Amino acid sequence: MSDHPPELGWMRLFVEVARLGSFSAAATLLGLTQPAVSYQIRRLEQQFGASLLRRQHRGVELTAEGERLLEVAARAVGDIDALARSFRAEAQRPVVRLRTDYAFSALWLIPRMDGFRLLHPETDIQIVATQRLAAGFRDDADVAVVFGTRAEFNAVGTLLLPEKVVPVCTRGFLDRNGPFDDPRQLAGARLIHLDAPLPSPWFDWRTYFAEFSMLRDAHAGRGDISFNTYSLVVQSALSEQGVALGWMGLVDTLLSAGMMLEAGPPLEAQDRGYWLVPPRSPNVHSERLSTWLSGEAGKVG
């Protein structure tokens, strides 16, 4: 007799023969021939060194040893079947993909994601963050949130968050370096910049001051610091390194928590901001995500 346990296929076969009380019925269920089933049961009995079934004229019935084996085998086969169903269910879970930039995903989306999961626990969301969306991004994502102008995206999307900026810094930086009661005082402060191609596709410090008919003195920028991602701009401002331009929708939670303060007048560009762009072929899952994103954006004051 072999010391190795029987294979799972033998276990399933034995369970079905015991459950149905018939070699022929088990063979039909499993897509086998009756002789093949009978042969496998004999092999199983040889491996265990015990008689498991009593062959009768109208079928089979379990011996005492067979009853003991069935108790274990049925539980094992049932557990494995349940696990297989779980694997299949997980593989079939809907996944909706959202493509956006680092700032929106880190500062706006992630703090709100629990809300979407509570509403749609059956849907998995995959966030694909990149600094620049390549041409043809609508072919690669279920939903996209992209920064741009009305001329670029009005035909295919809806404006989710109009661009509104306000200078922000910590209370500690303001107390040591302020006050900044008007843009002229702000122009003399240490500023934090977000690197961008020229002309900048969003408000930068140069265009911010230009809105107030100001040209910052060339010597005023000594000690300024710049970053290529907005998350680092925000982190630098939180570390009291200077004043940053804060995009409402991205820094509003920091302002409401008192971690940052407004340090100058706000500016708004109604034709520019974050646009919600649906996929070329919407489905129920992408529409649910789009509806949720629009609702969350509507809560931003």
Side-chain angles (χ1 to χ4, degrees):
M1 180 182 68
S2 171
D3 290 334
H4 297 295
E7 298 173 5
L8 176 62
W10 295 3
M11 289 286 93
R12 184 177 298 282
L13 187 147
F14 173 73
V15 168
E16 294 302 339
V17 170
R19 183 174 67 87
L20 297 170
S22 166
F23 287 155
S24 297
T28 300
L29 179 68
L30 298 172
L32 301 171
T33 64
Q34 190 273 344
V37 171
S38 180
Y39 171 75
Q40 292 289 2
I41 291 297
R42 285 198 302 272
R43 287 279 307 272
L44 193 60
E45 290 176 320
Q46 291 170 2
Q47 200 154 22
F48 277 98
S51 176
L52 304 174
L53 297 168
R54 280 189 291 269
R55 280 73 170 170
Q56 299 179 328
H57 179 65
R58 294 186 178 275
V60 296
E61 66 178 24
L62 292 168
T63 65
E65 292 81 3
E67 293 279 3
R68 291 164 62 190
L69 177 60
L70 178 62
E71 182 180 354
V72 175
R75 184 166 58 246
V77 170
D79 288 347
I80 291 172
D81 285 346
L83 186 60
R85 287 192 296 271
S86 174
F87 287 160
R88 287 193 294 270
E90 289 174 8
Q92 294 167 0
R93 279 178 64 86
V95 178
V96 60
R97 189 166 55 221
L98 173 64
R99 197 175 289 269
T100 187
D101 62 27
Y102 296 125
F104 185 86
S105 58
L107 298 172
W108 192 93
L109 185 61
I110 290 175
R112 293 171 168 84
M113 278 309 305
D114 276 347
F116 181 80
R117 283 194 288 265
L118 287 172
L119 282 175
H120 304 291
E122 77 288 351
T123 302
D124 292 338
I125 183 168
Q126 179 186 22
I127 301 170
V128 182
T130 180
Q131 194 65 7
R132 294 284 182 180
L133 292 180
F137 66 87
R138 293 184 70 198
D139 299 325
D140 299 326
D142 291 313
V143 178
V145 175
V146 56
F147 191 94
T149 64
R150 188 174 300 276
E152 292 175 293
F153 297 110
N154 190 52
V156 294
T158 55
L159 188 58
L160 194 67
L161 295 174
E163 183 183 19
K164 181 180 179 180
V165 299
V166 63
V168 293
C169 66
T170 63
R171 167 65 69 183
F173 185 87
L174 182 64
D175 288 345
R176 291 193 304 273
N177 299 278
F180 307 126
D181 295 328
D182 62 62
R184 295 189 182 281
Q185 291 173 303
L186 192 60
R190 189 164 68 246
L191 303 181
I192 306 170
H193 303 265
L194 175 63
D195 291 338
L198 294 176
S200 174
W202 43 70
F203 278 121
D204 59 11
W205 279 115
R206 184 185 62 81
T207 54
Y208 177 86
F209 288 124
E211 290 289 325
F212 298 97
S213 302
M214 288 179 51
L215 185 63
R216 193 179 184 215
D217 188 287
H219 298 289
R222 293 177 180 174
D224 283 5
I225 187 171
S226 63
F227 297 94
N228 65 343
T229 62
Y230 190 64
S231 298
L232 294 178
V233 169
V234 171
Q235 188 59 50
S236 179
L238 288 171
S239 300
E240 303 195 344
Q241 302 299 308
V243 183
L245 282 176
W247 272 264
M248 298 307 296
L250 301 185
V251 300
D252 53 320
T253 55
L254 299 173
L255 290 170
S256 62
M259 298 174 69
M260 283 185 172
L261 303 173
E262 295 187 12
L267 286 179
E268 190 166 352
Q270 286 291 341
D271 286 347
R272 197 169 62 197
Y274 277 105
W275 293 81
L276 174 62
V277 181
R280 294 189 188 278
S281 301
N283 57 56
V284 63
H285 307 297
S286 66
E287 289 175 353
R288 284 173 181 167
L289 178 58
S290 295
T291 299
W292 176 79
L293 287 167
S294 297
E296 288 298 306
K299 299 176 184 178
V300 177

